[in-house]
């Protein structure tokens, strides 16, 4: 079960405002906004893999500020997360070694499995009702009724969690707080391993052809207790005799998770293609090359996380073909700088301003090797208009 580990108790709205470092009057003004004033629609429509529209909302700058501080000062600082929860939560440590909570660490829990059960919570965020969000803050955090109502208003959209709200991933990871640990204990007694990566549930057994009927029944009961529907199309059982067992895109039939061999080939091919593009006249200074390089770098870094022998080789090849800056990058940097100077007084507290500011700093770092004098000038000017402390 998740545990509250802070000695400084937050129980009411006054403690809450002090912990966030935000005046109560500011919080009140945001709580009193209508849901449609708190959020706007994104500029681009997002689609799921099945072609359905993904419902995403963009929090306004005012509610984003509060949600961000709820994340950093409550969910990140005050929670001791269970070992079976992975995804959009902070890494933990055992006093000596950092324990990563990403999909690779999640997959590693199932290594040497012989049988797998996979289940998926359908439309997870939008199916988490505010009743259970209220219950979470009331009974896990022990907040008073007024504060629970405030948090529901600050974290939900029209009675439910919504994708786009900064707090949604944390709340979704916690929403089974009072039932999931007991389920895990029952499955452990059956010598099964259980993990949940946001809405993806995986159960593994080291026995071939294991029958997961009891495990599936208990998981359904747990989810139904929170009115969470199961995506039956994604429920599957697989065995190592039929095909390689995969968890979150990684092979888990070994002592450590491995990338599929065809994925390693694709990564190597991507590096080779990038080497050819680097030789194209002026292309290595283009935005397109830079984007391809960053994408390729991310794919090569996956090899490091699974300790693949090709990682260092491919990384050394990438280091030889780094993108180069051009005078156009310098001009764009000055353009962003001048825009930020103009908006500093009126927009310095806005999320947009902070995002643009750090984009400028990244660009300045990028041009510093080829244009050190210009980079130094821009950095000095940018320092004068740096945003207030990030929330």
């Amino acid at each position: 079960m998740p545990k509250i580990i802070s000695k400084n108790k937050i129980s009411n709205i006054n403690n809450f405002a002090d912990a966030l470092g935000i005046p109560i009057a500011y919080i009140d003004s945001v709580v009193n906004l209508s849901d449609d004033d708190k959020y706007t629609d994104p500029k681009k429509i997002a689609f799921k893999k099945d072609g359905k529209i993904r419902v995403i909302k963009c929090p306004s700058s005012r509610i984003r500020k509060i949600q961000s501080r709820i994340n950093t000062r409550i969910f990140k600082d005050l929670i001791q997360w269970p070992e079976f929860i992975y995804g959009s939560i902070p890494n933990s440590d055992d006093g000596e070694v950092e324990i990563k909570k990403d999909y690779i660490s999640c997959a590693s829990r199932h290594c040497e499995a012989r049988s797998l059960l996979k289940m998926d919570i359908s439309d997870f965020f939008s199916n988490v009702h505010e009743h259970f969000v209220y219950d979470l803050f009331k009974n896990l955090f022990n907040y008073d009724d007024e504060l629970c109502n405030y948090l529901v208003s600050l974290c939900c959209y029209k009675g439910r969690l919504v994708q786009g709200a900064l707090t949604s991933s944390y709340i979704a990871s916690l929403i089974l707080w009072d039932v999931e640990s007991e389920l895990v204990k029952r499955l452990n007694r059956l010598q099964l391993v259980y993990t949940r990566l946001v809405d993806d549930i995986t159960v593994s057994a080291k026995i071939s052809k294991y029958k997961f009927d009891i495990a599936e029944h208990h998981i359904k009961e747990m989810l139904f207790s929170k009115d969470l529907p199961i995506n039956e199309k994604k429920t599957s059982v697989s065995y190592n005799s039929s095909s390689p067992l995969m968890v979150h895109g990684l092979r888990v039939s070994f002592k450590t998770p491995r990338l599929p061999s065809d994925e390693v080939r694709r990564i190597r091919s991507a590096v080779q293609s990038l080497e050819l593009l680097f030789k194209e006249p002026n292309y290595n200074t283009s935005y397109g090359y830079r984007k391809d390089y960053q994408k390729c770098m991310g794919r090569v870094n996956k090899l490091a996380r699974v300790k693949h022998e090709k990682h260092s080789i491919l990384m050394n090849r990438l280091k030889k073909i780094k993108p180069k800056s051009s005078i156009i990058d310098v001009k764009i940097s000055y353009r962003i700088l001048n825009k930020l100077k103009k908006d500093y007084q009126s927009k310095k507290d806005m999320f947009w301003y902070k995002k643009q500011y750090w984009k400028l700093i990244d660009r300045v770092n990028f041009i510093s090797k080829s244009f050190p004098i210009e980079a130094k000038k821009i950095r000095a000017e940018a320092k004068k208009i740096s945003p207030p402390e990030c929330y």
Side-chain angles (χ1 to χ4, degrees), residues 324-335:
K324 297 180 180 180
S325 59
S326 69
I327 192 63
I328 295 175
D329 293 299
V330 177
K331 291 178 180 178
I332 292 174
S333 298
Y334 273 114
R335 193 182 308 151

Side-chain angles (χ1 to χ4, degrees), residues 121-129 132 172 175-176 220 222-230:
I121 304 171
S122 183
D123 296 325
F124 192 17
F125 286 4
S126 60
N127 278 307
V128 175
H129 193 274
F132 297 107
I175 206 66
L176 298 167
K220 285 182 176 180
M222 174 188 72
L223 296 178
F224 291 161
S225 73
K226 301 285 185 177
D227 296 337
L228 295 172
I230 296 163

Side-chain angles (χ1 to χ4, degrees), residues 12-193:
N12 55 52
I13 188 63
N14 292 310
N15 301 147
F16 175 69
D18 289 342
L20 266 57
I22 299 174
I24 293 178
Y26 185 98
I27 298 174
D28 281 337
S29 68
V30 175
V31 168
N32 290 328
L33 293 172
S34 70
D35 283 351
D36 288 327
D37 286 331
K38 292 174 185 172
Y39 297 88
T40 58
D41 292 322
K43 294 180 179 179
K44 294 183 179 179
I45 296 175
F47 293 92
K48 301 179 184 179
K49 291 181 180 179
D50 59 7
K52 295 180 180 178
I53 293 176
R54 187 180 298 278
V55 179
I56 300 175
K57 292 289 181 179
C58 299
S60 68
S61 60
R62 298 176 71 192
I63 197 167
R64 178 183 286 273
K65 176 178 180 178
I66 297 175
Q67 288 178 348
S68 180
R69 292 201 185 179
I70 290 172
N71 283 353
T72 56
R73 303 189 186 188
I74 294 180
F75 292 134
K76 289 184 180 179
D77 288 348
L78 308 188
I79 299 291
Q80 180 178 318
W81 294 87
E83 63 175 1
F84 52 81
I85 297 294
Y86 294 84
S88 304
I89 61 173
N91 294 335
S92 58
D93 64 74
D94 60 2
E96 296 181 1
V97 180
E98 183 183 50
I99 302 171
K100 294 188 179 296
K101 303 294 279 186
D102 62 2
Y103 74 99
I104 295 176
S105 296
C106 184
S108 69
R109 293 285 307 280
H110 301 283
C111 280
E112 298 187 281
R114 294 292 176 264
S115 305
L116 284 179
L117 165 66
K118 294 182 183 179
M119 300 177 72
D120 179 85
I121 304 171
S122 183
D123 296 325
F124 192 17
F125 286 4
S126 60
N127 278 307
V128 175
H129 193 274
E130 64 179 20
H131 166 82
F132 297 107
V133 178
Y134 180 97
D135 178 74
L136 167 70
F137 287 117
K138 179 69 176 177
N139 294 308
L140 175 61
F141 289 86
N142 293 316
Y143 293 164
D144 69 14
D145 292 340
E146 181 187 26
L147 179 52
C148 290
N149 284 321
Y150 266 61
L151 283 160
V152 166
S153 177
L154 292 168
C155 300
C156 293
Y157 173 78
K158 296 189 176 180
R160 298 181 181 276
L161 292 187
V162 63
Q163 195 161 344
L166 277 62
T167 48
S168 288
S169 292
Y170 287 103
I171 293 174
S173 295
L174 285 170
I175 206 66
L176 298 167
W177 69 276
D178 56 337
V179 290
E180 198 166 25
S181 294
E182 185 58 35
L183 168 77
V184 173
K185 289 178 184 177
R186 298 180 78 166
L187 297 182
N188 285 345
R189 289 198 292 268
L190 298 173
Q191 297 186 315
L192 301 176
V193 176

Side-chain angles (χ1 to χ4, degrees), residues 228-290:
L228 295 172
I230 296 163
N231 188 337
E232 297 288 356
K233 292 180 180 179
K234 291 188 177 181
T235 298
S236 65
V237 174
S238 53
Y239 304 111
N240 65 322
S241 58
S242 56
S243 59
L245 294 183
M246 305 285 290
V247 176
H248 308 310
L250 298 169
R251 298 171 68 186
V252 294
S253 298
F254 311 95
K255 290 185 177 181
T256 58
R258 298 184 184 180
L259 286 168
S261 56
D262 58 340
E263 173 67 6
V264 177
R265 284 196 298 270
R266 286 195 293 268
I267 293 172
R268 188 167 57 241
S269 177
V271 173
Q272 191 173 18
S273 297
L274 207 60
E275 288 171 329
L276 294 174
L277 288 173
F278 182 81
K279 297 176 182 178
E280 293 287 330
N282 300 321
Y283 190 70
N284 57 33
T285 63
S286 71
Y287 174 75
Y289 181 79
R290 198 178 312 162

Side-chain angles (χ1 to χ4, degrees), residues 340 343-354 385-389 391:
L340 291 173
D343 294 332
Y344 177 68
Q345 291 301 328
S346 60
K347 299 181 179 179
K348 62 183 177 183
D349 291 314
M350 294 178 64
F351 173 74
W352 168 87
Y353 184 91
K354 296 174 192 241
I385 54 168
S386 61
E389 180 184 357
Y391 47 74

